[in-house]
């Protein structure tokens, strides 16, 4: 008996190979995505951990305050500590000026903490007092090699240094200037590792030393952080909040989220496809099942036989997906680490991932097959002989009753409307297929739309300047601003103060960037949380909305603002929270800040807007040529660089969109094919009554398109809500991903579903056209 059922199963699989192939394809994609994202997540974490251990990446970095006391306590507890000078100063490389960072290091040996990996050339040497190591991203952008020279602007003027080597640093795997400026183009920011003595010479007198601690557990990190804050340290950064590491962990955690969310969606679609296919198979084989039961086949035997369809599909799809996931995971890891120049790439194979993937695929397929198998086992010979009775009586459809004008439709359209309600089970399964298909497409497409729209919002609405200037003499003077305004192509120039600050309250602090602007600034739009725009007034602070949860403050609260650029800590009140896509910045009016500090010489930069139609490159070149200007930042170039830096995200989500489209087609193909094959007898009856093939095909097409159209609205709604959940999972103080979907995306997604429904039914319609009426009649008479 069992052998006979196996032969039957093989024949069924061969006869409906396209439909089962679609189920296997959906399972393959779901398992491959699970394996790829899981392996990439694990590999990236392993790569970072290995590099961090090899180069002793700091567990805690403290700037200013009792740095020597912190170092002493760390060493007493068995940890390692290094004290160094770190300062941001202008660089000049082949005529290009940028705001760079100098990091002091021992010239005779690698530091105890935050070592570097020399990729080419040599390490620093005591015999080469002006020899420097260039961080790899800066070296790549400016094509620097050992033996090249560049200039650094310090308190004593420009100093020429020689490149002795190119190095990778765990602090700058992602070249972030600060926690708020993680999307900085290499051409606007670079890092040099220089002998400690040279770093001290290049640092202004107000610069504070920095201590880096390695080998400190959570308890010691907490203890040292308390000592630092109570001692007035300007910045206390545990490893989790270090800018480069925080940005990379955002991506890694994103892989972790996608490793769960996307496979769930895809495997749910696969289970739905398997359920529809097997349910229709059981209904079409009622007579065969009744015959088997009448000939002594037990219910358990029949149940196991039909459950075997799901097990077979799950095993094939799961095994293929597991193999594909391993290869795809390794490829994603290599792509990612090479894109951001991680010098160590760890690829580890774990049997757990493919085995879990196969188990999930089999489980999804078995759950989908369980209900149809149970239905098959419960069919009695008597029920099978009675055939299938109509689900409803005749009469007007629901749409005709609710929408009276529909009663005037041509007879063919009314027949399609009434067929929708005649088999509610078939209609509901088709609607679910449409909804799932739209969810798969809209989640990926919505992520692409959101990223594009938010970048545009940040760089077109929030940040309205075209360029930013830093001056060689320190504070921006009235004469320097006038000179900048006089450059042809410059329409406006405003003074501003940009300061690294620590905002603290009740023992909790957050390091960010404070921007002080004129009260009537036209260079920045302040988008308030909850809607509307705000303005700078008095000494009130406007801050990113994430700060509320980070240090537990509300509007009206007084907070302490400390910076190495200020004479001492000041107290300012929070006047509102901002909804900005990138970062958690703080803003205050320039007059208000000067009043709070007691000086009117805080402006250290200028924001410029160009005249409409001005040649950007020409204006930027003229600004670079000004002797009083040390650095020119192309703000619009920053927007382009931010888009390019999101390239990997676009590629990954684009792959998800492609897979979603393929799975949508497979799901719709199965649903439509099952709809048509289930009604073979119906079609044969119409053919014997003289109805032409074209008419029958038209009826099927109208019905399928109507059901698809009914599923579009709930599909778009559910897809939008799930996309919002996906995007919200990436929110942090670095990024605020509020879902934005273009109306064109909704329209195109809806149109795509109609096209997919039309195309996916084509094989079934062809089958109807070639239907052997005599064979169908004989089969129904058995």
């Amino acid at each position: 008996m069992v052998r006979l059922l196996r032969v039957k199963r093989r024949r069924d699989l061969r006869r409906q190979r396209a439909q089962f192939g679609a189920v296997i394809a959906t399972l393959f994609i779901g398992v491959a995505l699970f394996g790829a994202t899981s392996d990439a997540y694990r590999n990236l974490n392993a790569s970072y951990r290995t590099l961090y251990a090899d180069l002793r990446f700091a567990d805690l970095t403290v700037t200013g305050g009792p740095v020597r006391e912190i170092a002493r306590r760390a060493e007493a507890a068995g940890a390692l500590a290094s004290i160094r000078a770190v300062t941001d100063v202008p660089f000049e490389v082949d005529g290009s000026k940028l705001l760079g960072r100098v990091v002091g290091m021992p010239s005779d040996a690698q530091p105890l903490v935050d070592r570097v990996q020399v990729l080419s050339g040599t390490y620093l040497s005591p015999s080469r007092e002006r020899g420097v190591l260039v961080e790899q991203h800066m070296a790549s952008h400016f094509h620097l090699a050992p033996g090249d020279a560049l200039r650094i602007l310090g308190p004593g003027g420009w100093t020429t240094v020689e490149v002795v080597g190119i190095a990778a640093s765990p602090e700058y795997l992602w070249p972030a200037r600060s926690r708020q400026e993680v999307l900085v183009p290499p051409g606007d920011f670079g890092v040099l590792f220089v002998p400690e003595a040279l770093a001290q010479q290049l640092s202004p007198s107000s610069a504070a030393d920095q201590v880096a601690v390695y080998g400190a557990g959570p308890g010691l990190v907490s203890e040292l952080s308390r000592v630092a804050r109570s001692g007035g340290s300007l910045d206390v950064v545990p490893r989790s909040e270090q800018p480069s590491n925080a940005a990379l962990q955002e991506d890694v955690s994103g892989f972790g989220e996608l490793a769960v969310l996307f496979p769930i969606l895809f495997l749910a679609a696969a289970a739905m496809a398997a359920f529809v296919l097997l349910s229709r198979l059981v209904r079409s084989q009622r007579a065969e099942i009744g015959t088997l039961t009448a000939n002594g086949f037990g219910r358990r035997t029949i149940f196991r036989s039909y459950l075997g369809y799901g097990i077979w599909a799950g095993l094939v799809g799961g095994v293929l997906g597991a193999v594909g996931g391993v290869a795809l995971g390794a490829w994603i890891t290599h792509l990612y680490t090479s894109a951001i120049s991680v010098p160590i790439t760890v690829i580890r194979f774990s049997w757990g991932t493919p085995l879990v993937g196969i188990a999930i695929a089999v489980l999804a397929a078995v759950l989908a097959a369980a209900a149809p198998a149970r239905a098959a086992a419960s069919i009695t010979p008597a029920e099978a002989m009675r055939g299938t009775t109509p689900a409803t009586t005749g009469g007007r459809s629901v749409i005709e009753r609710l929408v009276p004008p529909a009663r005037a439709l041509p007879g063919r359209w009314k027949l399609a409307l009434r067929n929708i309600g005649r088999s509610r089970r078939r209609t509901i399964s088709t609607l679910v297929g449409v909804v799932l298909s739209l969810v798969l497409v809209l989640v990926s497409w919505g992520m692409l739309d959101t990223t594009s729209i938010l970048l545009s919002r940040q760089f077109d609405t929030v940040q309205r300047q075209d360029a930013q200037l830093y001056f060689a003499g320190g504070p921006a003077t009235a004469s320097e601003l006038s000179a900048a305004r006089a450059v042809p192509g410059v329409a406006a120039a405003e003074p501003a103060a940009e300061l690294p600050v620590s905002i603290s309250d009740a023992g909790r602090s957050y390091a960010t960037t404070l921007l002080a602007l004129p009260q009537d600034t036209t260079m920045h739009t302040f988008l308030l949380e909850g809607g509307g725009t705000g303005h700078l007034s008095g000494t009130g602070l406007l801050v990113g909305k994430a700060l509320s949860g980070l240090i537990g403050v509300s509007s009206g609260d007084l907070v302490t603002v400390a910076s190495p650029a200020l004479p001492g800590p000041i107290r300012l009140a929070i006047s509102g929270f901002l909804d900005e896509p990138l970062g958690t910045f703080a803003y205050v009016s320039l007059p208000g800040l000067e009043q709070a500090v007691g000086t009117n010489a805080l402006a250290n930069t200028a924001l410029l807007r160009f005249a409409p139609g001005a040649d950007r490159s020409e204006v930027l070149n003229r600004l670079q040529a000004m002797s009083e200007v040390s650095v020119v930042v192309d703000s619009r170039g920053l927007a382009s660089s931010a888009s390019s830096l999101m390239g990997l995200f676009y590629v990954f989500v684009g792959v998800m969109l492609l897979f979603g489209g393929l799975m949508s087609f497979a799901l719709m193909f199965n649903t439509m094919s099952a709809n048509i094959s289930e009604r073979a007898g119906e079609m044969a009856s119409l053919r014997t009554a003289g109805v032409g093939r074209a008419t029958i095909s038209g009826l099927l097409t109208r019905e399928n398109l109507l059901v698809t159209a009914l599923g579009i609205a709930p599909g778009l709604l559910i897809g939008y809500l799930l996309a919002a959940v996906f995007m919200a999972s990436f929110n942090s103080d670095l990024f605020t991903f509020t879902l934005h979907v273009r109306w064109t995306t909704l329209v195109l997604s809806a149109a795509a579903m109609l096209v997919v429904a039309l195309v996916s039914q084509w094989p079934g319609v062809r089958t109807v056209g070639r239907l052997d009426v005599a064979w169908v009649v004989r089969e129904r008479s058995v």
Side-chain angles (χ1 to χ4, degrees), residues 621-671:
N621 288 336
R622 289 171 182 159
L623 293 169
Q624 288 270 12
M626 294 175 63
S627 58
E628 57 266 54
V629 172
S630 62
V631 176
V632 178
V633 177
D634 181 2
S635 300
R636 298 303 169 188
L638 179 60
S640 301
S641 298
S643 296
S644 66
L645 288 171
M646 297 297 288
L648 276 177
F649 175 81
Y650 291 139
V651 169
F652 188 81
V653 178
V655 171
M656 297 301 104
L657 180 58
L658 174 62
F659 282 173
L662 291 175
M663 289 194 72
S664 298
F665 178 82
L667 189 60
M668 294 291 286
F669 170 75
N670 258 8
T671 302

Side-chain angles (χ1 to χ4, degrees), residues 77-111:
L80 299 175
S82 290
I83 297 175
R84 61 192 183 178
V86 179
T87 186
D88 288 357
V89 291
F91 296 165
E92 184 178 22
V93 185
D94 293 331
S96 296
K97 297 176 181 178
L98 66 151
L99 186 61
R101 177 166 299 160
V102 167
V103 178
M105 302 184 76
S107 58
D108 56 347
Q110 288 263 15

Side-chain angles (χ1 to χ4, degrees), residues 29-45 251-264 324-326 328-330 332-333 353 652 656:
I29 293 174
V31 173
L33 284 178
F34 166 76
T37 50
S38 296
D39 281 352
Y41 174 73
R42 229 181 2 260
N43 289 337
L44 288 173
N45 265 326
D251 271 0
V252 171
S253 63
F255 275 118
E257 297 278 353
L258 295 177
V260 176
L261 297 176
F262 267 115
I264 286 176
V326 170
L328 190 59
I332 290 174
T333 304
T353 301
F652 188 81
M656 297 301 104

Side-chain angles (χ1 to χ4, degrees), residues 107 109 151 261 293 296 333 375 418 490 499 529 620 624 658 676 682:
S107 58
R151 298 203 301 164
L261 297 176
T293 304
T333 304
R418 293 173 184 179
V490 174
L499 312 173
E529 182 182 21
L620 291 169
Q624 288 270 12
L658 174 62
I676 293 170
E682 219 177 286

Side-chain angles (χ1 to χ4, degrees), residues 544-564:
K545 63 182 181 181
L547 193 68
S548 174
L550 290 168
I551 63 173
V553 292
S554 304
S555 185
D557 288 353
L558 281 171
V559 295
T560 300
V561 179
S563 171

Side-chain angles (χ1 to χ4, degrees), residues 45 48-49 52 57-58 170-174 176 179 182 238-252 734:
N45 265 326
Y48 295 146
R49 282 197 303 269
Y52 290 169
F57 182 35
E171 296 179 276
Y172 301 100
L173 287 181
W174 184 270
R179 189 166 173 80
V182 294
R239 179 188 287 189
S240 61
E241 296 178 14
Q242 197 273 341
S244 171
N245 185 53
L248 293 175
Q249 290 306 315
E250 285 287 327
D251 271 0
V252 171
L734 299 179

Side-chain angles (χ1 to χ4, degrees), residues 519-539:
Q519 286 184 304
D520 58 349
T521 181
T522 61
M523 302 294 175
H524 201 95
T525 301
F526 302 100
L527 303 178
L528 295 174
E529 182 182 21
T533 57
H535 302 279
L536 299 174
S537 60
T539 58

